Amino acid sequence: MVDLQVNGFAGHDVNGDDPRGAVHEITAALARIGVTSWVPTVITAPEERIVAAVRAVATAREESPEVAAAVPFVHVEGPFLSVQDGARGVHDPAHVRDLDADEVARWCAAGPVGIVTVSPHTPDAAAHVARVVALGVQVAIGHTHATPAQVRDAVRAGANLSTHLGNGVATTLPRHPNVLWAQLAEDALTCGLIADGHHLPADTLQAMLRAKGPGRAFLVSDATALAGLPPGRYATPVGGEVELTAEGRLSPVGSDLLAGAARSLADGLRHVLAETSTTLAEAVDLVSFVPARIARLALPLAIGSPADLLLLGPDGSVHEVRRGGRLIP
Ligand SMILES: [Zn+2]
């Protein structure tokens, strides 16, 4: 499985004070549950902090062949997002800023940046999107209040992904047109969906998967460091003080908003099989082949490519994990 949006896992946080150590630990912890490739996701922060996190991922890749094989690049989610409540989610408004391709170029000088999530609502957004794409960085649309026309302009400029479609959007919208329909209808956008059972109701997930069709949707965990930890209140860089329920729902204390997720991509695979009409073969595409293509990884079933293989049960449960041909205990 390939997870394109991981903020943290098993108590380790990419956005914490030791991103290099977190990348090593998360690589090992995710492999054990069948996620053999993953993309560290750095959220809205001052430029120095984003650069330091990107540099830390580059260092971790140099230190370990396992990390180099598992982590293709960094996903920077922010800081060029909507400041409007709802669309912004829990990103820190003090550090949200207008889309700036020059800043993206400075991140790229520090290490491998593969995806940046932006809100294309500013008048010069499309020009910046084109410049970011020219750097070799894929542009995802997310946390946005952009108009449908601004979405189309961003796609014409080269944006090719939607970040966790259906989340990071105003809580109420005009019935149509709106930013969801614009992205669902746009075949050039492949969309990430959080299938943790809390971010999208099952009928929404089902409808979005049908709307995008084969090859144009993938699942992400959006997991935070709290994934896999006991219920309770925690302090975290992703949104300050948050509460994790026994059902795996994570929200800022005193709010109905969601503060990232606390379930893994392996949980997402089982959820999509249990709650939608997705077949096992289609579900494997959603967690493996589609995100692998976006991560520019060698497709797993080609002769000569790394043997990252899973043995799955019919319900999506993981029975055996091989990474690079070796069994993970
Ligand atoms: Zn987000």
Side-chain angles (χ1 to χ4, degrees):
M1 285 183 270
V2 179
D3 194 340
L4 298 183
Q5 194 165 359
V6 179
N7 304 287
F9 189 69
H12 303 283
D13 197 331
V14 172
N15 294 284
D17 291 332
D18 179 20
R20 188 185 62 81
V23 167
H24 285 290
E25 298 284 351
I26 294 169
T27 298
L30 285 179
R32 286 193 285 273
I33 62 164
V35 180
T36 51
S37 298
W38 67 286
V39 173
T41 301
V42 175
I43 63 163
T44 297
E47 180 173 343
E48 317 80 78
R49 202 167 165 94
I50 294 173
V51 165
V54 171
R55 192 174 290 132
V57 172
T59 303
R61 292 181 85 253
E62 285 163 16
E63 289 170 340
S64 158
E66 286 80 18
V67 171
V71 175
F73 50 63
V74 176
H75 175 177
V76 185
E77 189 195 19
F80 315 125
L81 305 178
S82 172
V83 287
Q84 295 184 4
D85 286 346
R88 179 174 54 78
V90 295
H91 288 255
D92 185 348
H95 298 299
V96 169
R97 42 200 184 265
D98 286 352
L99 179 50
D100 177 4
D102 291 328
E103 182 175 338
V104 177
R106 293 193 291 274
W107 305 338
C108 291
V113 176
I115 300 172
V116 57
T117 293
V118 309
S119 171
H121 64 273
T122 49
D124 60 352
H128 282 278
V129 167
R131 290 179 54 210
V132 172
V133 170
L135 293 167
V137 178
Q138 297 176 84
V139 173
I141 296 171
H143 287 280
T144 188
H145 65 277
T147 64
Q150 288 168 330
V151 169
R152 279 192 292 276
D153 288 347
V155 169
R156 257 185 236 115
N160 67 321
L161 301 170
S162 296
T163 289
H164 53 52
L165 192 61
N167 300 106
V169 67
T171 52
T172 56
L173 289 171
R175 66 196 186 287
H176 48 67
N178 67 44
V179 71
L180 296 181
W181 293 117
Q183 291 179 84
L184 285 169
E186 178 51 74
D187 286 346
L189 292 173
T190 301
C191 77
L193 300 168
I194 305 174
D196 66 345
H198 301 292
H199 280 72
L200 296 172
D203 55 356
T204 308
L205 181 61
Q206 171 89 61
M208 285 183 164
L209 289 170
R210 280 198 193 125
K212 295 312 291 191
R216 294 200 186 94
F218 58 95
L219 305 186
V220 296
S221 69
D222 202 12
T224 66
L226 303 181
L229 298 183
R233 286 189 175 191
Y234 296 89
T236 159
V238 187
E241 199 186 5
V242 297
E243 181 143 26
L244 175 64
T245 69
E247 295 75 36
R249 192 179 197 281
L250 187 65
S251 52
V253 170
S255 159
D256 280 344
L257 294 175
L258 291 159
R263 295 260 159 104
S264 71
L265 192 61
D267 295 327
L269 173 63
R270 284 196 302 276
H271 177 74
V272 80
L273 284 167
E275 300 296 331
T276 72
S277 65
T278 306
T279 66
L280 183 58
E282 290 164 345
V284 167
D285 274 356
L286 295 172
V287 297
S288 174
F289 288 95
V290 176
R293 188 188 75 218
I294 294 161
R296 298 164 182 153
L297 299 168
L299 284 177
L301 294 182
I303 291 170
S305 65
D308 287 2
L309 302 169
L310 303 180
L311 183 61
L312 297 173
D315 64 348
S317 55
V318 177
H319 294 288
E320 192 178 299
V321 182
R322 281 177 190 272
R323 182 177 60 179
R326 282 200 209 94
L327 193 64
I328 304 266

